[in-house]
Amino acid sequence: MPDRGKWFRRTLCSLALLVSALAGAAQDCLDCHLASADQPVLAIQHSAHAALAGGGNEACRACHGDSAGHIAAPASSAPDFSFGPHWPMPAAEGGARCLTCHAGGEQLHWAGSAHAAADLACTDCHSLHRQSQLAPAPDPATSGCLTCHSEVRAELRLPSRHPIAEGKTACTDCHNPHGSPTPGELAAVTLNDTCFTCHSEKRGPFLWEHPPASEDCSLCHRPHGSVHPRLLTARGPALCQQCHAAAFHPSLPYGGEGVAGAAPNQNLLGKNCLNCHGQVHGSNHPSGARLTR
Ligand code: HEC
Ligand code: HEC
Ligand code: HEC
Ligand code: HEC
Ligand code: HEC
Ligand code: HEC
Ligand code: HEC
Ligand code: HEC
Ligand code: HEC
Ligand code: HEC
């Protein structure tokens, strides 16, 4: 099928050139780039970028540059900053143009972020000429992240999970897609602080702290989803036994003392450590030193 939008634009463009040549007037962006079905450029007039540099043709220049060469020979010469798709340009070059205005705030750590390192362009996530995608979320909870992160998509279906697919938690609640100084591009200054934005009751301080909980929630929890209940990395007692050996009271249910006929330890056999040590995140009870209450 012939590309009618293109045909229409080229014809219009030639006409405009002809008219302007006759009148001796210079052409500008909007004289040629009217809205058409395949190139909805004017939707930008309804976006946060409409009023850039006073609006109109000046708004176009704020991103695409003065583009004198392109105006003189539109079919063969690219605008100063084209962003593609007709004349593709390197991701970093396009990003640098956006960063002339967006270098601070949420984008402060773009340079050095995992996404910049992977050579993503701003336009991999943002669609500047589509009003609906300017705040770029087709689904506000997953923001288009899952088109690339299929490994996370799978985790969102596990039996225990953060309710992201259900729309109650969003990827951007925990991550800054523009990068951050925290490993994993997390939105807060530490992993635990990220969790505390919603689970503040786990912050403490507690009279009796459990060191791994104050140190790093991910010692025991997966962030997105898990086959174990409560997003745990392993089930108790195996979870606890990664760190606790058979000191004081034997904590190895499958050790020699737990084997049938070899005087099973009644504290442990068939029981979960949590039956007695329920306060694994820390306790405020005066006699909660062993996290039992
Ligand atoms: C905020 C920056 C920004 C402003 C302002 C802007 N553009 Fe764009 N433009 C882009 C980006 C980025 C692309 C690449 C396509 C996309 O959005 O992913 C693009 C793409 C285009 C395209 C190609 C579209 C296609 O689908 O083939 C045209 C034509 C265009 N812009 C013209 C204009 C005109 C005319 C104006 C002024 C009304 C303008 N632009 C204002 C950033 C901008
Ligand atoms: C004389 C007509 C004319 C003028 C004036 C003009 N353009 Fe274009 N522009 C074109 C044509 C023709 C194309 C070729 C692509 C096509 O057929 O869609 C194009 C393509 C583009 C593209 C697509 C780049 C890409 O890689 O996909 C952008 C962006 C663009 N113009 C921006 C501008 C801006 C910004 C201005 C003003 C500074 C401007 N144009 C002025 C006719 C014009
Ligand atoms: C000339 C300065 C300038 C340039 C260049 C520019 N922007 Fe913006 N941008 C703004 C202003 C001003 C706003 C509106 C105020 C704000 O939210 O900070 C804005 C808002 C945005 C928003 C939020 C929109 C919303 O609805 O809340 C996004 C996303 C964005 N810009 C992305 C980009 C991208 C991607 C580029 C490069 C293609 C770009 N900008 C280039 C000035 C600019
Ligand atoms: C991996 C996807 C992704 C990339 C790449 C990306 N963004 Fe964003 N951007 C988002 C998402 C998602 C939001 C919405 C954030 C939210 O809802 O908290 C956003 C929001 C924004 C906003 C508005 C929010 C604010 O206050 O900052 C601006 C401006 C912006 N991005 C600019 C950029 C620029 C400039 C680039 C390139 C240097 C870029 N983005 C690259 C996903 C991305
Ligand atoms: C266009 C594809 C694409 C999109 C869309 C995308 N990412 Fe990425 N992301 C990547 C690539 C490529 C990497 C670097 C390689 C890797 O670690 O998988 C990366 C890395 C990351 C990392 C760092 C991983 C690590 O090991 O430190 C996080 C976190 C991340 N992305 C989150 C997000 C979030 C949140 C969104 C949505 C706002 C998103 N991504 C959207 C492609 C994408
Ligand atoms: C409840 C907070 C939270 C939410 C919501 C969340 N993440 Fe994460 N994500 C994390 C934490 C914590 C890590 C581990 C960071 C580390 O240990 O370095 C992580 C790691 C990652 C990684 C690195 C690779 C991996 O799997 O460990 C990617 C990619 C990622 N997240 C993408 C996403 C995407 C996409 C979404 C939305 C579908 C999302 N995250 C939602 C907290 C979250
Ligand atoms: C944006 C808010 C938010 C953040 C940030 C957050 N969570 Fe959650 N978390 C939730 C919600 C909502 C639920 C579901 C609560 C419910 O169903 O009652 C939940 C549930 C949980 C559960 C129980 C899951 C189950 O199967 O019952 C655990 C464990 C958990 N979160 C750990 C974490 C950890 C660890 C972090 C930091 C990496 C974190 N959360 C960050 C909102 C958040
Ligand atoms: C030593 C392992 C361990 C560490 C570290 C840990 N948790 Fe837990 N967490 C558990 C266990 C075990 C459960 C299940 C308790 C139950 O089912 O009674 C749990 C349950 C939860 C729940 C759901 C039930 C509830 O109590 O609300 C949330 C939310 C939670 N943890 C958040 C966190 C946060 C936030 C951190 C970091 C501050 C953290 N956890 C650190 C072991 C741990
Ligand atoms: C990542 C390692 C780690 C994991 C996993 C872990 N703990 Fe701990 N736990 C510690 C450390 C370190 C201490 C502090 C020991 C000390 O002060 O001598 C501690 C202290 C305790 C104490 C108090 C002991 C005392 O001497 O005061 C109890 C009870 C306890 N943990 C139970 C559990 C239970 C139950 C689990 C499983 C849900 C668990 N722990 C998982 C590292 C861990
Ligand atoms: C039937 C209840 C019960 C079960 C099940 C249980 N414990 Fe205990 N545990 C206790 C009691 C009670 C104490 C405190 C004894 C005291 O203070 O004199 C204790 C003390 C501890 C201590 C402190 C030991 C020390 O040297 O000071 C650790 C660590 C501990 N338990 C870990 C575990 C682990 C890990 C499991 C699971 C493998 C587990 N416990 C299962 C009741 C239990």
Side-chain angles (χ1 to χ4, degrees):
M1 212 181 103
D3 186 340
R4 278 208 238 153
K6 229 175 213 174
W7 174 85
F8 177 74
R9 194 161 50 252
R10 291 218 165 117
T11 314
L12 200 81
C13 171
S14 321
L15 277 175
L17 274 176
L18 189 69
V19 171
S20 71
L22 291 176
Q27 286 291 294
D28 220 331
C29 319
L30 290 169
D31 297 327
C32 296
H33 290 289
L34 297 171
S36 66
D38 70 325
Q39 215 195 44
V41 290
L42 293 188
I44 207 162
Q45 309 284 28
H46 304 289
S47 79
H49 287 125
L52 284 187
N57 293 310
E58 293 314 308
C60 315
R61 289 192 167 84
C63 286
H64 292 290
D66 285 340
S67 309
H70 173 65
I71 294 183
S76 56
S77 179
D80 298 349
F81 298 90
S82 72
F83 302 101
H86 196 78
W87 287 289
M89 72 187 292
E93 237 176 79
R97 184 65 173 173
C98 307
L99 292 172
T100 55
C101 297
H102 293 294
E106 295 288 305
Q107 287 74 44
L108 187 64
H109 297 284
W110 174 254
S113 70
H115 285 147
D119 212 26
L120 256 67
C122 309
T123 49
D124 281 325
C125 299
H126 294 285
S127 228
L128 280 300
H129 286 277
R130 278 175 191 74
Q131 188 195 357
S132 62
Q133 287 182 23
L134 196 55
D139 163 13
T142 53
S143 310
C145 311
L146 298 178
T147 51
C148 297
H149 290 291
S150 45
E151 77 285 8
V152 179
R153 180 194 296 275
E155 290 179 304
L156 301 188
R157 302 259 181 299
L158 292 174
S160 169
R161 56 183 182 255
H162 264 118
I164 301 168
E166 290 80 356
K168 292 184 189 160
T169 319
C171 308
T172 51
D173 285 338
C174 295
H175 295 285
N176 183 342
H178 310 106
S180 88
T182 318
E185 315 293 359
L186 293 176
V189 290
T190 65
L191 187 146
N192 278 22
D193 279 303
T194 307
C195 310
F196 296 151
T197 57
C198 297
H199 301 290
S200 52
E201 79 286 358
K202 301 283 188 288
R203 182 195 291 273
F206 299 103
L207 185 54
W208 307 104
E209 302 273 351
H210 191 201
S214 3
E215 193 181 310
D216 184 352
C217 311
S218 71
L219 288 168
C220 298
H221 293 289
R222 304 273 311 141
H224 309 128
S226 169
V227 290
H228 304 298
R230 302 293 196 196
L231 288 167
L232 290 170
T233 52
R235 276 172 210 260
L239 174 72
C240 315
Q241 287 172 323
Q242 293 168 28
C243 299
H244 292 288
F248 187 71
H249 76 65
S251 70
L252 291 167
Y254 309 117
E257 68 276 66
V259 175
N265 183 296
Q266 56 141 7
N267 273 357
L268 298 167
L269 200 63
K271 288 180 185 167
N272 193 327
C273 318
L274 291 167
N275 288 346
C276 302
H277 301 286
Q279 303 302 311
V280 283
H281 302 103
S283 167
N284 277 324
H285 194 280
S287 52
R290 306 300 187 213
L291 309 177
T292 48
R293 61 186 92 196

